[in-house]
Amino acid sequence: MMAQIQHDTDRQNLGAKKFAMWIFIFCSFMLFAAFSSGFIVYSGGKGHGLNVALPKAFLYSTIIIALSSVTMFLASKAANAMDHAKQQLYTILTIVLGLGFLGMQVYGWYVMTYQMQVFLTDPNASRSFVYVITFMHLLHILGGIIFLLFALGGSIKRIPQVKNIYRMDMSAIFWHFLDIVWIYLYVFLLLNSN
Amino acid sequence: MSTISVQDHGVHHHDGHGHDDHGHHHDTFLTKYIFSQDHKMIAKQFLITGITMAVIAMILSILFRIQLAYPDKAFPLMETLLGRFAPNGRLDPGFFLSLVTIHGTIMVFFVLTAGLSGTFSNLLIPLQVGARDMASPFMNMLSYWFFFLASVIMLASFFIEKGPASGGWTIYPPLSALPKAMKGSDLGMTLWLISMVFFIASSLLGGINYVSTILNMRTKGMDLWKMPLTIWAFFLTAILGVLAFPVLVAGVVLLIFDRSFGTSFYLSEIVLNGKVMPFEGGSPILFQHLFWFLGHPEVYIVIMPALGISSEIIATNSRKPIFGYHAMVYSLIGITVLSFIVWGHHMFVTGMNPFLGGVFMITTLIIAVPSAVKTFNYLATLWRGNIRFTPAMLFAIGLVSFFISGGLTGIFLGNAALDINLHDTYFVVAHFHLVMGSAAIFGMLAGVYHWFPRMFGKMMDDRLGYLHFWLTFIGAYLVFFPMHFMGLDGVPRRYYAFTEFESMSRWLSVNTFITWAAIMSALAQVAFLFNFIYSIFFGKKAPMNPWNSNTMEWTAPVEHLHGNWPGEIPTVYRWPYDYSKPGAEEDFIPQTVPLSETMSSNQEHDFEDNEIGLEAHKQWIAANRKNEEVK
């Protein structure tokens, strides 16, 4: 009987914690909304248009992160089916793709700086915005990878299924959000690149 | 011997774990008092840190008030106390600006955001909605420790060579973006930014937790419309924080890039110390937009918890249901929504398009409507109530008074045309110190007096409370009321001395008067501090429900338990404002009393979605009528 109550309260608490993740996503969304509206206000000024064709690297990174969302989904599915081997495989794949995304973004900065001569310290701060926005998104990616590592560790250690699913869910919610935010940011920058 | 007792202890622990479903039985000093995850302990940590910060900020204000009253006088004691910040006993002009900046920062963020929301949201949310603890006690603990770290970093800036940040609490660029612009733009500004990053992290961790707890962990029967107004206020405050603080993060990130990485988001062509700076094309107004998009909701983050607290206290101590419960909730929601579309009224004189200024003026003035609804509801609750003037009640009424007198000048300032004259004068200082400064502080103090028994299991001394109230209440009006006239005469804020200006030097006598009033109200706080600390240790032991209140926190035992209630969490059957209900035996019916136990006081509208209950009620009425006829 007590065990049942224990179980119930735990489950409720996990639900509330998952809900907290959703609120955090609202938070994060506001951050990027602030950057985009800052960009709009700034680039509305005279001669402040971006005027940069975004490097191809950002397109590749978009493909990578979209793929990682697929592997994330497969990992969650495997976790729900209690297939630990598959869950770990797909989680590792997601982490690798996440690191690939990170690398590709950094490569994008490299291309912008060294090949296109578009610097972080450009007098036209619209261009600095590209760096800052991608940088802040990368910080989130690092956070997402930490979540994924937690989920992976839990799966390897065979923690109870309820907790395993909880950790997977937390990472999945966050990771899909990062994917969607990146696509939003990429499209936003594309549309404003003239 | 000792081995045996240790073993006994171990066995006991084991037992405890077997039978208790939520115990932290291995509490050490460290986990109980330092890294506690119990919301009640975290609330106390927030409160005591908040009070400490408030005292520091108050002392800062007294220092700059002395400068304003006696701009030509030297106080050797000042040099002894402040060293290089007061050479020859006179305050250094740069340090004067630091004092103003840090006073504002500490008061707005550390006292009235973290100290107020942190304390009472943590204490009351789980207790009033009927939860064992917060959604994530660990995040809650982190929230406090980030806040603590932020406080330490902010105060540490007094101990560095160039002194704390001095660009005003709004840290407008370019002063804040160019480290070499003045002393206070250097390391002090960097520390300010680092401190605020931790502070924002703390606020977000806290806010996310509050929202999640309120939406997910209410006890049985506690639907949204049975929640006390305190919870509604904390809930909407947390939502405001969660949506507004990230925008400040964005603004601050861009500022950090400008300061340290050479970008020009906010910096335009500028010459510094005769040297042309490489910046180009930035817009300092962009920072103001980002800052005030947080900054304006921030003032509601400050005042709404205080309004919620006073709703509860005024209803309890008038022994009347709160007037217009639904109107109170909707006006809070109205304030929450409107607060996001009024930030432009801080920027009327930045060269804003007059049409846009007009739009912001209209949205700003609309906020007067929900604010007035709340004010009238407080007054209507007090009207013909059976008022008990406890210290908490006096402070809550004081809040209403400040909210009215400070709110009235908001109508002047919200006007784009009048603002040309009033902007950055003492009129603004008077306005916000009354409407959000004094009012919110009074709400916080009311909360401390009211929930002290809940926090510490002891009662505070009433007579010291009355002394504290009257001196502070009169003192605050004496300090801030004259400032309106100075502002109307065009005396600008943040100036070091007015003796240099022919047109303003005549205000010196008023400044002297204000300073002495400020010193008097500062001394009055000693009565509070003594009362607070003394009562924690030697106060009268508190009964379980000292104010005969209806809300759930008073149904939990005085001794704090991790998990709040020893057995099952009580179920809620009614709204929290059944005070002096006609036909009831006592003048209060706690939320946990079922309607079936109060047949004589039930009304038809108590059974809105409850057919069976309504039937039983009608039968009881019929039977009761018969009895009366017999009489």
Side-chain angles (χ1 to χ4, degrees):
Chain A
M1 163 62 189
M2 277 301 174
Q4 186 58 42
I5 290 172
Q6 166 75 54
H7 185 68
D8 281 346
T9 49
D10 261 359
R11 234 183 26 200
Q12 274 172 6
N13 284 345
L14 290 184
K17 281 173 194 159
K18 233 190 280 176
F19 191 84
M21 174 56 86
W22 283 106
I23 306 168
F24 178 72
I25 280 173
F26 271 96
C27 246
S28 221
F29 170 78
M30 283 306 288
L31 177 73
F32 290 108
F35 280 122
S36 1
S37 41
F39 181 93
I40 292 169
V41 169
Y42 182 89
S43 65
K46 252 190 211 124
H48 287 170
L50 188 51
N51 275 326
V52 167
L54 292 175
K56 279 271 181 295
F58 288 153
L59 177 64
Y60 301 144
S61 62
T62 311
I63 296 169
I64 294 177
I65 201 169
L67 273 179
S68 78
S69 252
V70 175
T71 54
M72 182 78 243
F73 172 72
L74 292 173
S76 291
K77 218 174 125 187
N80 279 315
M82 303 258 291
D83 187 343
H84 286 277
K86 249 190 184 170
Q87 181 197 352
Q88 285 159 29
L89 173 72
Y90 284 122
T91 312
I92 291 172
L93 259 176
T94 313
I95 295 172
V96 169
L97 286 171
L99 291 171
F101 175 82
L102 201 147
M104 195 50 86
Q105 297 290 83
V106 175
Y107 176 68
W109 294 342
Y110 168 79
V111 172
M112 277 176 71
T113 309
Y114 289 98
Q115 295 177 9
M116 299 164 65
Q117 314 290 321
V118 174
F119 301 112
L120 167 68
T121 54
D122 202 289
N124 176 2
S126 289
R127 298 171 169 185
S128 317
F129 262 111
V130 178
Y131 285 92
V132 173
I133 289 175
T134 47
F135 172 74
M136 291 309 286
H137 182 258
L138 273 193
L139 284 186
H140 282 72
I141 289 281
L142 284 177
I145 288 177
I146 291 171
F147 268 104
L148 283 167
L149 286 174
F150 258 101
L152 182 64
S155 173
I156 290 170
K157 272 192 287 181
R158 292 289 162 93
I159 53 170
Q161 175 69 356
V162 184
K163 286 216 163 155
N164 184 30
I165 294 282
Y166 161 69
R167 287 191 188 181
M168 271 325 266
D169 283 355
M170 292 287 267
S171 340
I173 297 170
F174 193 49
W175 197 260
H176 292 310
F177 165 70
L178 292 183
D179 181 18
I180 293 167
V181 158
W182 172 249
I183 291 171
Y184 158 71
L185 291 173
Y186 183 59
V187 171
F188 176 81
L189 290 175
L190 269 187
L191 290 178
N192 287 292
S193 57
N194 300 316
Chain B
M1 177 62 211
S2 69
T3 327
I4 293 168
S5 72
V6 167
Q7 268 180 348
D8 274 349
H9 223 63
V11 169
H12 175 76
H13 277 306
H14 207 75
D15 256 359
H17 267 286
H19 290 292
D20 206 319
D21 50 307
H22 52 262
H24 269 255
H25 289 270
H26 294 284
D27 268 347
T28 59
F29 179 80
L30 209 64
T31 58
K32 186 168 180 201
Y33 293 106
I34 312 288
F35 296 108
S36 173
Q37 299 194 16
D38 181 356
H39 70 99
K40 299 181 289 297
M41 183 55 72
I42 294 174
K44 287 191 232 175
Q45 292 175 325
F46 265 111
L47 178 61
I48 289 171
T49 316
I51 289 178
T52 312
M53 293 302 274
V55 170
I56 292 169
M58 183 184 78
I59 292 171
L60 301 184
S61 74
I62 297 298
L63 286 176
F64 65 68
R65 276 308 327 170
I66 290 176
Q67 160 62 29
L68 288 171
Y70 302 105
D72 298 322
K73 233 187 198 153
F75 297 90
L77 184 64
M78 283 261 226
E79 194 177 5
T80 324
L81 287 174
L82 300 170
R84 65 181 184 284
F85 292 134
N88 304 323
R90 293 188 59 190
L91 220 53
D92 175 66
F95 188 62
F96 175 86
L97 293 174
S98 293
L99 288 176
V100 176
T101 304
I102 303 296
H103 167 77
T105 309
I106 292 183
M107 277 301 185
V108 171
F109 292 112
F110 290 77
V111 180
L112 292 175
T113 304
L116 179 59
S117 270
T119 305
F120 292 103
S121 296
N122 267 311
L123 177 73
L124 295 178
I125 288 176
L127 278 167
Q128 286 195 337
V129 303
R132 298 265 181 225
D133 206 312
M134 285 286 177
S136 171
F138 177 72
M139 265 167 69
N140 212 16
M141 178 191 81
L142 274 188
S143 159
Y144 172 72
W145 284 103
F146 277 163
F147 166 57
F148 183 79
L149 190 62
S151 312
V152 170
I153 295 174
M154 188 60 76
L155 294 179
S157 63
F158 278 98
F159 299 98
I160 60 173
E161 200 205 330
K162 288 184 174 166
S166 60
W169 78 279
T170 51
I171 56 157
Y172 284 169
L175 269 184
S176 60
L178 295 167
K180 299 277 171 277
M182 60 175 174
K183 268 198 210 162
S185 303
D186 209 306
L187 185 58
M189 191 62 227
T190 309
L191 288 176
W192 193 99
L193 290 169
I194 296 172
S195 166
M196 280 314 288
V197 168
F198 283 109
F199 182 86
I200 294 169
S202 154
S203 284
L204 290 178
L205 286 169
I208 289 173
N209 236 334
Y210 306 149
V211 175
S212 183
T213 309
I214 293 171
L215 288 181
N216 292 293
M217 296 171 69
R218 300 188 306 276
T219 185
K220 225 164 88 189
M222 179 65 89
D223 59 55
L224 290 179
W225 291 110
K226 288 198 178 68
M227 296 199 307
L229 287 170
T230 36
I231 300 298
W232 270 107
F234 298 146
F235 174 56
L236 292 163
T237 305
I239 289 180
L240 270 185
V242 162
L243 295 180
F245 271 114
V247 180
L248 180 65
V249 175
V252 164
V253 165
L254 298 182
L255 183 59
I256 291 173
F257 270 93
D258 271 8
R259 272 176 74 78
S260 310
F261 300 100
T263 54
S264 346
F265 291 109
Y266 305 135
L267 290 168
S268 197
E269 298 73 9
I270 200 162
V271 179
L272 189 63
N273 297 331
K275 219 177 103 198
V276 181
M277 303 300 287
F279 304 103
E280 243 184 286
S283 154
I285 305 296
L286 175 61
F287 178 83
Q288 296 195 20
H289 278 298
L290 291 171
F291 181 87
W292 286 113
F293 190 85
L294 154 92
H296 200 82
E298 169 64 28
V299 309
Y300 292 99
I301 291 173
V302 163
I303 195 67
M304 288 209 311
L307 293 174
I309 285 170
S310 52
S311 304
E312 181 64 31
I313 293 173
I314 286 178
T316 305
N317 289 300
S318 303
R319 313 311 290 164
K320 268 181 68 184
I322 190 81
F323 187 90
Y325 172 81
H326 284 74
M328 288 297 236
V329 173
Y330 287 126
S331 58
L332 281 175
I333 295 173
I335 290 174
T336 305
V337 173
L338 286 170
S339 72
F340 279 110
I341 49 172
V342 298
W343 79 91
H345 67 225
H346 298 272
M347 301 165 60
F348 282 145
V349 295
T350 55
M352 179 186 272
N353 182 330
F355 175 73
L356 190 59
V359 173
F360 278 123
M361 181 172 105
I362 290 168
T363 54
T364 302
L365 295 184
I366 291 175
I367 285 204
V369 176
S371 306
V373 167
K374 293 197 79 67
T375 308
F376 285 121
N377 284 353
Y378 289 133
L379 298 178
T381 308
L382 288 166
W383 176 252
R384 304 188 68 178
N386 185 11
I387 299 177
R388 296 184 312 202
F389 288 105
T390 63
M393 180 64 162
L394 287 175
F395 276 99
I397 297 173
L399 171 142
V400 177
S401 165
F402 287 130
F403 196 61
I404 296 171
S405 48
L408 282 176
T409 50
I411 299 171
F412 295 72
L413 287 166
N415 189 306
L418 288 178
D419 191 60
I420 296 168
N421 193 30
L422 297 174
H423 187 85
D424 256 350
T425 64
Y426 268 84
F427 195 82
V428 181
V429 177
H431 162 71
F432 71 75
H433 273 95
L434 282 178
V435 78
M436 90 176 211
S438 301
I441 280 281
F442 269 50
M444 184 169 167
L445 288 169
V448 172
Y449 280 103
H450 194 75
W451 280 288
F452 191 86
R454 190 59 274 181
M455 274 189 271
F456 297 99
K458 303 281 175 61
M459 303 296 286
M460 282 177 88
D461 185 67
D462 275 357
R463 274 170 305 174
L464 276 175
Y466 295 136
L467 179 73
H468 176 215
F469 169 76
W470 283 111
L471 287 180
T472 315
F473 184 70
I474 296 168
Y477 267 121
L478 290 184
V479 169
F480 299 121
F481 212 78
M483 288 185 186
H484 290 108
F485 305 109
M486 294 172 68
L488 286 173
D489 195 37
V491 180
R493 61 195 284 209
R494 291 179 181 146
Y495 273 33
Y496 173 67
F498 296 108
T499 36
E500 305 293 317
F501 306 94
E502 193 68 44
S503 64
M504 296 171 207
S505 54
R506 60 186 158 150
W507 287 101
L508 190 63
S509 54
V510 175
N511 265 322
T512 318
F513 172 78
I514 292 177
T515 297
W516 280 104
I519 290 173
M520 179 192 86
S521 6
L523 287 177
Q525 306 315 306
V526 177
F528 169 71
L529 290 175
F530 174 78
N531 196 355
F532 184 80
I533 296 166
Y534 182 87
S535 304
I536 290 178
F537 296 105
F538 311 109
K540 251 192 339 190
K541 211 166 171 316
M544 199 152 128
N545 189 356
W547 317 117
N548 290 343
S549 188
N550 286 342
T551 38
M552 278 186 79
E553 76 271 27
W554 306 106
T555 63
V558 180
E559 291 76 30
H560 286 172
L561 302 171
H562 200 121
N564 295 340
W565 286 272
E568 214 178 311
I569 301 177
T571 304
V572 163
Y573 300 96
R574 57 178 76 233
W575 78 326
Y577 297 106
D578 268 346
Y579 290 109
S580 305
K581 205 174 180 187
E585 280 162 30
E586 289 193 77
D587 65 351
F588 70 110
I589 311 173
Q591 280 190 284
T592 50
V593 175
L595 290 164
S596 59
E597 285 177 23
T598 56
M599 292 310 273
S600 61
S601 68
N602 290 348
Q603 310 274 325
E604 235 171 79
H605 63 75
D606 290 329
F607 301 97
E608 263 172 6
D609 309 307
N610 182 354
E611 299 275 325
I612 306 168
L614 188 61
E615 203 52 44
H617 173 65
K618 280 182 177 155
Q619 279 171 14
W620 190 89
I621 294 279
N624 205 39
R625 281 238 178 85
K626 250 179 234 157
N627 287 347
E628 256 170 33
E629 274 163 27
V630 171
K631 266 185 218 160

